[in-house]
């Protein structure tokens, strides 16, 4: 079970966008992260489709967050890239074989599916408890202010 | 991010094995679940490699749990099928680009990797809190004893 590498890029991009005071072109985000523009473009489009960023056109065209960074959670970004489906898909094994439970008797999800769903909920709750603003703030504290300052300086210098 | 379908079969097989008083042949487990023997054989081999079940040979050859069902957790089964690697793999994006953090300054994992690891821990803790014995007991309670009794009857009738 592997998370797409795009999630990592997407979260990093959102942290950078949270420090920008104007839209940041894809090429500039790609340059900042030392990665190909094509690769990043796909992830940014997925973030855009999920309504987390929006593309602006014109001379200062680029991407910007659609709302405050305190209102964008890591879970939202993961879902934007990975999709909303839970990792475990119950195929109703209990309804098979010689002791099959009739479908009409399956009023609740299978006990195994419930255990998997509870674990998925715990994972989602954990990711939903952290916003982009939290990530930026932690980075700020851990680098005594230097990381975000450098980031804003670099973003401003174009 | 999808969990392999093998996990579902493997957990169901372990619940069945927890009700058997002697080794259960693969063919019999396959018959019980209405699934192909070849498909199940692969999952059982993975469980065996992880030390959760063992194959016995001879006239009553088949699979049995290696320990009490209260000592086998859903997490152990998921890891046996999916492997031990966490879903998120940090590729050190922070060490790239014009503001790259030097490797020697990366004393702690990246903040984004830490958020992902905390969520993975929450997921694993949740799955580790449920044993095969718990699943069997819940099934027993929800079917007023009939499901496990039928299972044991079917397993004994060979």
């Amino acid at each position: 079970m592997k998370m797409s590498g795009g999630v990592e890029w997407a979260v990093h991009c959102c942290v950078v966008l949270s420090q920008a005071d104007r839209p940041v072109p894809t090429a500039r985000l790609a340059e900042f992260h030392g990665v190909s523009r094509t690769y990043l473009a796909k992830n940014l489009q997925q973030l855009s489709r999920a309504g987390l960023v929006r593309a602006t056109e014109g001379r200062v065209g680029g991407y910007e967050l659609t709302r405050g960074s305190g209102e964008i959670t890591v879970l939202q970004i993961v879902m934007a890239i990975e999709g909303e489906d839970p990792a475990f898909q119950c195929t109703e094994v209990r309804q098979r074989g010689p002791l099959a439970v009739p479908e009409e008797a399956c009023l609740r999800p299978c006990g195994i599916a419930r255990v998997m769903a509870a674990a998925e909920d715990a994972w989602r709750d954990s990711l939903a408890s952290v916003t982009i603003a939290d990530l930026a703030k932690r980075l700020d504290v851990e680098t005594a202010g230097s990381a975000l300052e450098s980031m804003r300086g670099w973003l401003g210098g174009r």
Side-chain angles (χ1 to χ4, degrees), chain A:
Chain A
M1 217 169 73
K2 290 279 157 280
M3 202 182 285
S4 149
V7 169
E8 187 181 10
W9 294 109
V11 181
H12 276 278
C13 281
C14 287
V15 172
V16 173
L17 291 179
S18 77
Q19 300 305 308
D21 56 8
R22 53 190 155 164
V24 184
T26 306
R28 194 90 175 132
L29 278 169
E31 187 188 350
F32 182 88
H33 290 112
V35 66
S36 98
R37 185 180 160 159
T38 339
Y39 183 67
L40 220 53
K42 187 190 153 204
N43 301 140
L44 289 164
Q45 280 156 15
Q46 289 172 308
L47 290 176
S48 175
R49 269 198 292 275
L52 303 179
V53 304
R54 80 178 134 242
T56 62
E57 293 183 4
R59 204 173 52 85
V60 290
Y63 281 100
E64 61 187 1
L65 299 181
T66 54
R67 49 186 184 270
S69 60
E71 291 165 66
I72 296 180
T73 70
V74 176
L75 178 64
Q76 288 165 343
I77 299 172
V78 171
M79 299 287 106
I81 307 292
E82 289 285 342
E84 304 267 344
D85 289 343
F88 179 83
Q89 300 289 341
C90 173
T91 65
E92 290 294 343
V93 167
R94 62 183 169 173
Q95 293 182 28
R96 304 173 66 119
L99 300 185
V101 183
E103 192 180 344
E104 60 272 21
C106 295
L107 302 176
R108 301 182 64 183
C110 170
I112 295 169
R114 296 200 311 266
V115 169
M116 297 297 182
E120 175 101 17
D121 284 347
W123 179 76
R124 293 190 181 210
D125 287 350
S126 182
L127 293 178
S129 72
V130 183
T131 66
I132 291 301
D134 294 328
L135 285 172
K137 190 172 181 183
R138 287 180 203 176
L139 187 59
D140 202 41
V141 169
E142 288 174 18
T143 62
S146 70
L148 296 190
E149 197 184 313
S150 309
M151 208 181 270
R152 286 189 294 260
W154 189 88
L155 287 165
R158 51 185 153 164

